[in-house]
DNA sequence: CTAATAGTGTCTATTAGACAGTATGTT
DNA sequence: AACATACTGTCTAATAGACACTATTAG
């Protein structure tokens, strides 16, 4: 059939001719936690943490998943994760970036659902209001070799262990795919989503300043370094770290007890 | 309603309860072209090029767009761009990576369509068979300042000029958004898609070896450098370039006319 | 005072930038 | 030979890594 104008065409267009699917967005909400420390004088150890939600309904009832929800038809794609974050944390103005779109045919047993994952970073201290009752923060322990990854997520009530094989997808770009070989209690393909998110976070930390989104308004250099170290999974030398970071923060005269007092910094 | 098992739940599940949408994938197929050169002795100048398709139907009839198509319900997300690439180039085994998912509410006038864009790199010499009749290669001229971008796409028959403002989305990560201020003849939001793709390409060139995907089996160091230069939009010093690239290629004894002969390299 | 922690100065190794020089072809 | 192009050696500047040293508190 021929149309004389775009207007004509659109008038006659029937969207129902095509089979359609549902979309969701999932959000990796990362933060840092202080890990219990025997020595009160030392800068407390840090750990990355992620917010997970316990599913109350089928599918994957009683399993843990990343917060997410269905995209509304009249909603911009980026508005969807923002809306969910608002519901979950009662905060707006959170650092957020699109991570990756997962579109496996059977990733959801109900029907075909494609999901765009977003990654968000937050300073936990901003959470005045309680987070939703069936969600919990899990501390992340990432142990990666060239070929394998073991991810251990620990909350106050539960513990999830995920094992995956890293498969090199492309030599020139060094891109990896994660094949989950063992997974206790994560719903959907969210174990993979988390692994992809952590990889992105590690990479971005090296060439951007996104770490500051995880920090409170005031913090010490030692704390900042600890956060870098826990994300990168290696120790950094203090002088080198200071050289690089010095120009990005503002030193203040304030000090804090311990051994020698630390300088407090502002972003 | 309560279900006693996941199996029970899925049996009773009706996907039609939710409003659904369509998904497409769009592919930025990049390659390099030799630019006409007055001096036959010099290594020929290079230009990035991109494959565009002229739309034969509404919407955006007679405008240019990036190749793409609807995702089938039983098709893995990554299979969709692969299928389209196969149709378009008759090649498999092309370098391809997911770029970004665009989900503006009104990006398609027909209905709500979310599209995941992929970026593919190809050596044009591999294209033995003719590409589809309504598609053409456009040479890319990218002129970017801190705040503005002018993109000029030129084929043998047409010329497209796109102007955009760069808007800083986030200070810590340095992420930008492109607001198209002027656009001749690009359909949908594909002007933005191309800008995002070029940005990704520029970034990835700096820390990966994806450029090799644009090169033929054998090429000279001068050619390789020219490709880097045209992607990065700046000239590189030969000694520094050689130092970095030397270990990634294999030198051969073969030479080629001109002034002093160039060494031919293999990947 | 000593022990414990935080922070700095400086030497060295590595990498990046610049440029003058050398090599090998065409005409 | 003269010229045009391709390639290399080497000096210098900038950056990253290592480690010994200094500073400031608690007890």
């Amino acid at each position: 059939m021929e149309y004389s104008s775009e207007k004509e065409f659109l008038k006659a267009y029937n969207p129902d001719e095509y089979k359609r699917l549902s979309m969701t967005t999932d959000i990796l909400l990362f933060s840092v936690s202080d890990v219990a420390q025997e020595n009160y004088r030392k800068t407390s150890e840090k750990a990355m943490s992620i917010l997970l939600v316990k599913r109350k309904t089928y599918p994957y009832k009683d399993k843990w998943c990343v917060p997410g929800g269905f995209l509304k038809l009249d909603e911009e794609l980026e508005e969807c994760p923002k809306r969910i974050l608002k519901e979950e944390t009662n905060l707006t103005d959170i650092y957020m970036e699109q991570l990756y779109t997962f579109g496996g045919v059977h990733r959801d047993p109900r029907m075909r659902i494609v999901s765009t994952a977003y990654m968000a970073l937050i300073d936990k201290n901003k959470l005045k209001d309680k987070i939703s009752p069936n969600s919990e923060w899990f501390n992340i322990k990432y142990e990666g070799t060239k070929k394998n990854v073991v991810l251990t997520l620990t909350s106050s009530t539960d513990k999830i262990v995920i094992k995956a094989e890293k498969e090199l997808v492309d030599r020139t770009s060094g891109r990896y795919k994660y094949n989950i070989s063992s997974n206790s209690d994560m719903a959907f393909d969210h174990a993979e989503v988390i692994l992809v998110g952590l990889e992105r976070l590690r990479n971005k930390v090296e060439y951007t300043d996104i770490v500051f989104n995880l920090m409170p308004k005031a913090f010490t250099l030692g704390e900042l370094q600890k956060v870098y170290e826990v994300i990168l999974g290696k120790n950094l030398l203090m002088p080198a770290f200071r050289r690089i970071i010095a120009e990005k923060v503002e030193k203040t005269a304030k000090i804090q007890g311990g051994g020698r007092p630390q300088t407090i910094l502002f972003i």
Side-chain angles (χ1 to χ4, degrees), chain A:
Chain A
M1 183 164 175
E2 278 296 316
Y3 299 97
S4 60
S5 75
E6 181 139 342
K7 210 169 180 178
E8 286 291 311
F9 163 83
L10 289 173
K11 210 173 199 170
Y13 188 82
N14 175 17
D16 294 323
E17 278 175 26
Y18 295 91
K19 291 259 175 179
R20 283 177 289 171
L21 47 85
S22 288
M23 274 201 75
T24 59
T25 60
D26 295 316
I27 301 151
L28 299 174
L29 183 56
F30 289 116
S31 189
V32 254
S33 308
D34 290 351
V35 170
Q37 184 75 14
E38 67 292 348
N39 186 340
Y40 76 99
R41 294 171 78 176
K42 220 170 178 172
T43 304
S44 64
E45 293 295 322
K46 304 283 179 184
M48 285 301 298
S49 50
I50 184 169
L51 189 78
L52 298 182
V53 181
K54 193 163 203 165
R55 288 188 60 81
K56 291 190 299 190
T57 57
Y58 291 110
Y60 293 104
K61 190 164 181 251
D62 297 324
K63 304 270 179 181
W64 293 97
C65 72
V66 147
F70 283 93
L71 174 68
K72 295 177 181 172
L73 285 189
D74 59 349
E75 180 179 50
E76 299 282 321
L77 185 59
E78 313 84 59
E79 289 304 317
C80 184
K82 275 187 197 161
R83 171 170 57 80
I84 295 161
L85 272 178
K86 180 83 190 338
E87 288 164 13
E88 198 71 37
T89 64
N90 206 19
L91 290 176
T92 50
D93 201 36
I94 293 178
Y95 175 84
M96 195 187 80
E97 68 175 80
Q98 190 182 301
L99 178 64
Y100 199 80
T101 299
F102 295 85
V105 175
H106 300 295
R107 53 181 298 284
D108 194 302
R110 289 169 289 189
M111 57 175 169
R112 183 71 193 276
I113 298 179
V114 173
S115 180
T116 299
Y118 285 77
M119 179 172 94
L121 303 181
I122 195 183
D123 161 29
K124 249 186 213 170
N125 302 312
K126 279 188 186 156
L127 289 172
K128 294 156 204 160
D129 310 321
K130 214 171 155 283
I131 52 173
S132 64
N134 45 329
S135 59
E136 272 183 38
W137 288 101
F138 282 72
N139 277 8
I140 297 170
K141 187 170 146 209
Y142 178 95
E143 295 161 295
T145 65
K146 196 136 195 177
K147 291 211 163 181
N148 288 283
V149 177
V150 179
L151 191 67
T152 315
L153 306 173
T154 320
S155 80
S156 53
T157 67
D158 214 339
K159 183 173 173 177
I160 302 168
V161 180
I162 295 157
K163 293 181 185 171
E165 274 175 36
K166 286 171 78 175
E167 184 186 326
L168 189 61
V169 174
D170 177 72
R171 191 174 51 85
T172 60
S173 65
R175 258 163 50 234
Y176 284 103
K177 190 175 167 300
Y178 293 97
N179 298 314
I180 309 296
S181 53
S182 146
N183 167 17
S184 66
D185 298 319
M186 277 306 284
F188 306 108
D189 55 357
H190 289 189
E192 187 191 349
V193 178
I194 293 172
L195 285 168
V196 172
L198 284 171
E199 190 186 356
R200 169 84 132 256
L201 188 59
R202 274 196 305 279
N203 287 333
K204 279 230 156 179
V205 158
E206 304 245 38
Y207 66 94
T208 70
D209 301 332
I210 50 169
V211 168
F212 290 109
N213 296 294
L214 293 165
M215 306 305 289
K217 279 238 169 58
F219 52 91
T220 69
L221 245 174
E223 285 181 308
L224 185 61
Q225 185 172 340
K226 282 276 188 331
V227 173
Y228 269 94
E229 288 176 339
V230 76
I231 295 174
L232 292 172
K234 64 181 177 191
N235 291 334
L236 304 174
L237 291 165
M238 194 187 280
F241 183 72
R242 294 188 78 97
R243 272 195 295 249
I244 294 161
I245 229 72
E247 52 203 28
K248 293 173 182 170
V249 290
E250 220 176 293
K251 273 192 186 178
T252 69
K254 283 184 187 171
I255 51 173
Q256 200 181 28
R260 171 173 174 174
Q262 297 188 47
T263 316
I264 303 210
L265 305 171
F266 283 89
I267 300 177

